[in-house]
Amino acid sequence: SLTVPIVVPAVLGDYKSLHFEREEATVTTEEVEKEIETQRNRQAEWTGVERPAAMGDRVTVDLKLTSGDQTISDLKDNPFELADDRTGIFTGMDEQVVGMQAGEQKTFSTTIPETYTNEKLRGQQADFDITVHKVEEKHVPELDDAFAEKMSEGQYTSMEDLRKALSDSILENKKRTNRDALREQVVNAVIEQSQITLHPALIDEEAEEMLHQMSHMLEEQGLSMDQYLRMTRKSREDYLADVR
């Protein structure tokens, strides 16, 4: 007497009645110019200056950030490109650094944003201790034929040809994105109206595969699965149950 799992085929709905519109891809001049500006900034050169820091400069600093008795960050010789739209834990730092010169030290406080990932620190006072070691200003290349040739590694010799190539590349990427989005939309719609029965044997097989992958990842870090399970106070079956 044998008991074997029977995998029930999926029963498709009336998928032929489904209708979808393909989104047409277009490229604007603004998108091309934005890409050129991105590439231009990547080729920017930084030179040291002996003047107070301004927005857009790059500063190299020692930075210690604390909140109460907790040290959040302690950075040495860390470069920051000063910007007025910084988000995250360092919100409010840039405008305080503007005006500082190499060799100067400053302490100040800000408020940690309510959007910060650590809920316990949201809205708390953040205390900065900053020492500036270097101030550098950005020099971007001119948008000329030499820039086009350098950016394309000699493939294009004029800005006109470069803009056309970038436009074609952006268009192709948009078409690919639209195709992928349409394919996902179609598949999800078909799944939604289909009858699909997942046999427990399929879930068990996938859970075992995930455990196998986890074991390999742990081995790369010098841990065995048994050591990991002891650290998490779980048995092998507990882990598989969570994965299921």
Side-chain angles (χ1 to χ4, degrees):
S1 176
L2 297 175
T3 300
V4 296
I6 298 176
V7 178
V8 181
V11 180
L12 298 179
D14 184 17
Y15 64 87
K16 293 184 179 180
S17 66
L18 298 174
H19 179 74
F20 303 89
E21 293 292 338
R22 184 189 302 275
E23 183 179 351
E24 292 300 322
T26 59
V27 180
T28 65
T29 301
E30 290 74 15
E31 289 173 315
V32 175
E33 294 305 317
K34 183 179 179 181
E35 178 62 24
I36 288 176
E37 197 61 29
T38 298
Q39 297 296 335
R40 189 186 189 195
N41 280 304
R42 286 177 181 169
Q43 295 186 26
E45 295 181 353
W46 296 90
T47 57
V49 292
E50 295 183 4
R51 59 163 174 76
M55 285 294 180
D57 287 344
R58 184 169 69 184
V59 293
T60 302
V61 302
D62 289 348
L63 180 152
K64 187 171 185 179
L65 173 59
T66 59
S67 181
D69 297 330
Q70 182 177 350
T71 298
I72 301 173
S73 188
D74 192 358
L75 305 173
K76 303 295 183 184
D77 289 325
N78 193 83
F80 281 99
E81 189 171 342
L82 298 178
D84 54 13
D85 58 352
R86 189 180 304 281
T87 58
I89 192 67
F90 297 125
T91 298
M93 174 196 73
D94 299 71
E95 48 262 44
Q96 294 287 342
V97 177
V98 166
M100 294 181 68
Q101 292 184 252
E104 289 187 353
Q105 184 269 342
K106 186 177 184 180
T107 58
F108 57 89
S109 298
T110 65
T111 300
I112 298 175
E114 293 294 339
T115 55
Y116 186 54
T117 52
N118 189 331
E119 296 181 4
K120 294 181 180 179
L121 293 176
R122 292 176 184 172
Q124 299 299 311
Q125 177 175 306
D127 299 311
F128 286 82
D129 185 344
I130 288 183
T131 300
V132 176
H133 295 304
K134 183 165 55 174
V135 178
E136 299 170 288
E137 65 181 7
K138 180 190 288 186
H139 297 278
V140 295
E142 294 293 328
L143 294 179
D144 52 21
D145 293 347
F147 170 80
E149 189 168 2
K150 182 178 180 181
M151 179 179 159
S152 65
E153 297 182 344
Q155 189 173 359
Y156 306 106
T157 57
S158 71
M159 286 300 298
E160 182 181 356
D161 290 343
L162 178 62
R163 286 187 169 93
K164 176 64 169 60
L166 287 176
S167 179
D168 291 344
S169 177
I170 294 171
L171 181 62
E172 186 54 41
N173 286 335
K174 282 190 172 186
K175 287 181 178 179
R176 188 182 304 110
T177 299
N178 289 349
R179 285 196 299 269
D180 292 344
L182 179 60
R183 184 179 296 112
E184 184 176 2
Q185 184 184 5
V186 170
V187 171
N188 287 338
V190 173
I191 290 173
E192 184 67 27
Q193 64 171 20
S194 299
Q195 298 177 25
I196 301 173
T197 303
L198 286 179
H199 195 289
L202 294 175
I203 299 173
D204 290 344
E205 186 177 272
E206 183 66 19
E208 288 285 352
E209 175 59 25
M210 293 174 70
L211 183 143
H212 183 65
Q213 292 175 0
M214 182 66 170
S215 298
H216 275 299
M217 187 180 72
L218 291 170
E219 286 174 6
E220 291 176 356
Q221 300 176 18
L223 282 174
S224 68
M225 193 67 195
D226 288 340
Q227 288 173 317
Y228 173 78
L229 291 174
R230 285 197 296 271
M231 289 167 57
T232 56
R233 298 181 180 179
K234 290 182 180 180
S235 66
R236 188 175 185 277
E237 279 307 314
D238 291 335
Y239 181 83
L240 287 172
D242 291 342
V243 170
R244 288 191 189 94

